[in-house]
């Protein structure tokens, strides 16, 4: 579709809610669906048009709800199906959309399908999961291959009832579904997708959506981690041979019955040319995807949870990751997304900017300018709008809850025999990129437990909640929250440039401190100039060559109005956006 009549989701501002940590109404220390409903006026006022709700399905919670035991029911601490019906209605009554997580690469080992599948090799569900015989070496039983789980350890778990191993790319309580089985696929579509579309939801964020199709020979992976028994095997299960066939089948057999359904896919470890195959409008597979190059910066890709090898990325690496995502639409019929945070990442303020007290609020506004001026569907994560940042470095491992982080820490602990320096290194990595950073409770006000709960929170509240919270920022016209609201409104006002702008170009690629880019209006008559200072120091502006003296209008800056003036240089963590109009462009 053209920019003049786009799909509803292209210009939508989306907000991800992680239910356990969002808002608790019954004092059990866990967020719930009534809590979400109570904050809809706040989200509407912010400018949010679509809510993405992370898994709220019934689950044993071995991986925070990504291990689903029943797609058609709700995890009791979160509420009921009736609560979900009310949430859908309350969103739609406000003109807002609601999308859910679609987790169909795997289920919980407590799901009725798996409980039946594990009983024998001949029952109705026997082939609904990925089962393989043991490899026998010198009379001893071994896993079918050396594949390493994404969370560390073997990707195979032995099941005595069948004398076979089942595949689990994540934790052992998350067995992978066998997408090669047509009956299993039909059951997935009916239970996980149609059940909720029939209730009126508007789409899905699709978890691990390029992992369904595996190399069915399950060969050993090449050795990349020397001295390790189990090896990263992404080459054998990412973007597998039948992925596109199955996504087209899903669209044609199910989604097309429901109109313009948003399907935004999680697509890690994927090159741009391959991404295009998923999101081309003509292919009709996914609406758009999250490209993970930005949020994977500085992490050991394929390292199997080795967070202690995390390093700080450079600004040129950051620019290149942004460029890849922005160029996806260049000369194509594809669409893209804009995000810096989700439930699996450290906070963007700590990872990509600074959480130093003197610069924190200004840096949060700078990142808001960056995100709101990039082309694509905008995704905010809960708490991002108030500048929530990573947990303090002094926190110990006892505060962590994430299975991936705990596995990574315990791996170091075992391997290095409790060596204190190794454990310090492990905690430093987790403090930067660990998933618990995003899962701390939302800081609503300065009361006990940040107004998240009247009970004992399931995970510790950030130490700084009295200074950083929604109530304080709603009362402050200079707050990050007020600035986000302003930027979202500005993005809507200048949608053709900010949401749909083309010809993204970086003008200072190798500069380690400043990020300068331009974008053009689709009609070619207007341009945006964006200058972002990613440092604690005064920086010169890097004007695009030949455009230094161009007449331009300051559209927005993150300096405090009435207190600071836009000057010759960029002050620390300053952002400014200039608009150049048609008459000027024709005149130089």
């Amino acid at each position: 579709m053209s920019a003049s009549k786009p799909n509803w989701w292209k210009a939508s501002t989306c907000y991800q809610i992680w239910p356990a940590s969002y808002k608790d109404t019954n004092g059990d220390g866990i967020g719930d669906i009534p809590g979400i409903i109570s904050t809809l006026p706040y989200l509407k006022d912010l400018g949010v048009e679509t809510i993405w709700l992370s898994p709220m399905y019934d689950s044993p919670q071995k991986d925070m709800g990504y291990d689903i035991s029943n797609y058609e029911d709700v995890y009791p601490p979160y509420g009921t199906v009736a609560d979900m019906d009310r949430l859908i209605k309350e969103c739609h009554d406000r003109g807002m959309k609601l999308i859910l997580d679609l987790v169909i690469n795997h289920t919980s080992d407590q799901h009725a399908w798996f409980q039946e599948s594990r009983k024998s090799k001949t029952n109705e569900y026997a082939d609904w999961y990925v089962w393989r015989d043991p490899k026998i070496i010198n009379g001893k039983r071994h896993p079918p291959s050396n594949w390493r789980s994404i969370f560390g350890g073997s990707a195979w778990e032995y099941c005595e009832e069948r004398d076979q191993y089942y595949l689990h790319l994540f934790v052992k309580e998350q067995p992978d579904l066998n997408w090669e089985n047509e009956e299993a696929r039909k059951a997935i579509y009916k239970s996980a997708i149609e059940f909720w579309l029939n209730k009126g939801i508007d789409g899905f964020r699709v978890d691990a959506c390029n992992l369904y199709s595996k190399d069915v020979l399950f060969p050993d992976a090449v050795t990349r981690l020397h001295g390790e028994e189990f090896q990263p095997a992404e080459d054998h299960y990412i973007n597998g041979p039948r992925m596109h066939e199955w996504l087209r089948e899903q669209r044609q057999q199910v989604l097309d019955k429901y109109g313009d359904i948003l399907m935004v896919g999680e697509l890690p470890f994927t090159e741009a040319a391959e991404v295009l195959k998923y999101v081309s409008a003509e292919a009709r597979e996914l609406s758009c995807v999250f490209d993970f190059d930005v949020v994977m910066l500085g992490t050991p890709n394929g390292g199997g949870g080795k967070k202690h090898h995390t390093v700080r990325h450079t600004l040129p690496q950051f620019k290149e990751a942004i460029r890849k995502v922005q160029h996806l639409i260049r000369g194509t019929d594809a669409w893209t997304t804009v995000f810096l945070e989700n439930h699996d990442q450290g906070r963007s303020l700590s990872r990509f900017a600074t959480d130093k007290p003197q610069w924190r609020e200004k840096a949060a506004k700078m990142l808001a300018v960056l995100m709101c001026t990039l082309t694509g569907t905008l995704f905010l994560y809960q708490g991002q709008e108030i500048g929530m940042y990573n947990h303090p470095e002094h926190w110990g491992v006892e505060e962590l809850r994430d299975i991936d982080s705990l596995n990574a820490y315990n791996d170091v602990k075992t391997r290095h025999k409790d060596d204190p320096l190794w454990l310090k290194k492990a905690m430093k990595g987790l403090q930067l990129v660990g998933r618990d950073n995003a899962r701390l409770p939302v800081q609503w006000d300065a009361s006990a437990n940040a107004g998240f709960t009247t009970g004992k929170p399931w995970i510790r509240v950030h130490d700084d909640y009295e200074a950083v919270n929604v109530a304080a920022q709603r009362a402050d016209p200079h707050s990050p929250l007020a600035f986000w609201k302003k930027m979202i409104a500005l993005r809507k006002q200048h949608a053709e440039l900010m949401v749909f702008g083309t010809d993204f170009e970086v003008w200072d690629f190798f500069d380690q401190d400043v990020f300068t880019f331009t974008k053009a209006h689709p009609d070619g008559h207007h341009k945006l100039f964006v200058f972002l200072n990613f440092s604690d120091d005064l920086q010169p502006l890097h004007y695009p060559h030949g455009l230094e003296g161009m007449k331009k209008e300051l559209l927005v800056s993150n300096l405090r109005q009435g207190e600071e003036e836009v000057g010759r240089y960029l002050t620390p963590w300053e952002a400014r956006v200039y608009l150049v109009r048609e008459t000027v462009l024709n005149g130089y």
Side-chain angles (χ1 to χ4, degrees), residues 391-402 405-406 409-410 413 427 430 436 440 456-460:
H391 67 71
E393 290 185 16
H394 66 78
W395 281 19
V397 69
E398 69 279 358
E399 305 295 351
L400 305 184
R401 298 290 180 269
D402 171 41
S405 296
L406 293 172
Y409 183 88
N410 289 328
K413 183 180 172 74
M427 279 305 296
L430 292 172
D436 281 323
L440 304 186
K456 183 180 182 343
W458 73 275
I459 189 172
R460 181 172 173 175

Side-chain angles (χ1 to χ4, degrees), residues 80-131:
T80 64
V81 173
D83 288 328
M84 282 300 299
D85 289 336
R86 185 177 158 220
L87 175 61
I88 295 166
K89 182 180 187 304
E90 295 266 1
C91 285
H92 289 167
D93 285 351
R94 289 176 171 81
M96 299 167 79
K97 307 280 190 179
L98 178 69
I99 68 172
L100 303 182
D101 242 287
L102 183 61
V103 188
I104 49 180
N105 173 70
H106 48 266
T107 68
S108 164
D109 62 354
Q110 301 303 304
H111 195 292
W113 298 344
F114 186 75
Q115 290 294 302
E116 290 299 314
S117 186
R118 70 181 302 153
K119 286 178 180 176
S120 74
K121 300 179 184 179
T122 55
N123 71 61
E124 180 187 350
Y125 298 92
D127 195 34
W128 282 34
Y129 292 82
V130 181
W131 295 96

